[in-house]
Structure formats: structure tokens, C-alpha cells
């Protein structure tokens, strides 16, 4: 299957052929329908791909938040331990 850029170029070519009168109406309509169907399939694939990426992004954001909270908890533990050590040395 052609990529989206090739499909776009195909529409431009068909448009040029239509304007020049090089194709009869039936052939032109058939070519446009075929190209339109290919483009619809390609765009549907793009939409599915985007949905998957968006889902992955949401999962990554959630994991980043979880890891950030865990890091902060550990940093707080280190701070408390250091303060306890300072207190123990000063008493």
C-alpha cells in the first residue's frame, strides 16, 4: 500500500488529468474512488497508531509520577536519618 505522501501525489496527478481532460469521467471517478479508499485505510491506520501512542504516553506519565513520589519518600528518609545522626552527635 502506498504511503500517505504517495496517495496525496496520486490525488494531485488525478486532479491534473481531470483538468487536462486526458481521462474519461468513468475512469477518473474509478481512480478517485480507489485512491480515496486507500487514503481512508491509511488514515484509519494513522488514527490507531496515534491512539496507541497516546495510551503509552499516559502510562509513562503515570509511571513517572509513581517514581517521583517514591524518590521523594526516599529523599525524605535520607534527610530524617541525617537529622537523627546530627541530633545524636550533638547530645
Amino acid at each position: 500500500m502506498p504511503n500517505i505522501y504517495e496517495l496525496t501525489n496520486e490525488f494531485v496527478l488525478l486532479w491534473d488529468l481531470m483538468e487536462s481532460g486526458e481521462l474519461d469521467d468513468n475512469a477518473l471517478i474509478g481512480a478517485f474512488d480507489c485512491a480515496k479508499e486507500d487514503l481512508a485505510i491509511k488514515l484509519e491506520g494513522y488514527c490507531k497508531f496515534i491512539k496507541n501512542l497516546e495510551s503509552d504516553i499516559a502510562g509513562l506519565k503515570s509511571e513517572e509520577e509513581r517514581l517521583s513520589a517514591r524518590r521523594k519518600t526516599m529523599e525524605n528518609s535520607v534527610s530524617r536519618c541525617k537529622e537523627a545522626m546530627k541530633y545524636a552527635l550533638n547530645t
Side-chain angles (χ1 to χ4, degrees):
M1 169 166 272
N3 65 39
I4 199 160
Y5 300 107
E6 292 168 342
L7 289 170
T8 302
N9 289 337
E10 190 175 323
F11 276 107
V12 170
L13 176 63
L14 288 171
W15 188 264
D16 290 344
L17 290 173
M18 181 185 71
E19 286 183 336
S20 68
E22 292 181 38
L23 282 178
D24 66 36
D25 288 346
N26 289 335
L28 190 61
I29 289 170
F32 267 119
D33 286 344
C34 189
K36 197 165 79 174
E37 184 177 314
D38 286 347
L39 183 61
I41 291 168
K42 184 62 71 172
L43 292 176
E44 182 179 343
Y46 269 76
C47 289
K48 289 178 182 178
F49 179 71
I50 289 168
K51 282 268 192 207
N52 284 336
L53 285 178
E54 289 173 337
S55 174
D56 289 348
I57 289 167
L60 289 170
K61 283 182 180 180
S62 175
E63 185 66 8
E64 287 171 354
E65 291 168 1
R66 186 188 70 78
L67 289 172
S68 177
R70 183 173 177 207
R71 178 185 48 82
K72 287 176 185 176
T73 299
M74 293 174 126
E75 288 172 344
N76 289 338
S77 293
V78 167
S79 292
R80 282 193 306 276
C81 287
K82 286 180 180 180
E83 288 299 317
M85 288 171 39
K86 284 180 191 176
Y87 178 77
L89 291 173
N90 290 328
T91 53

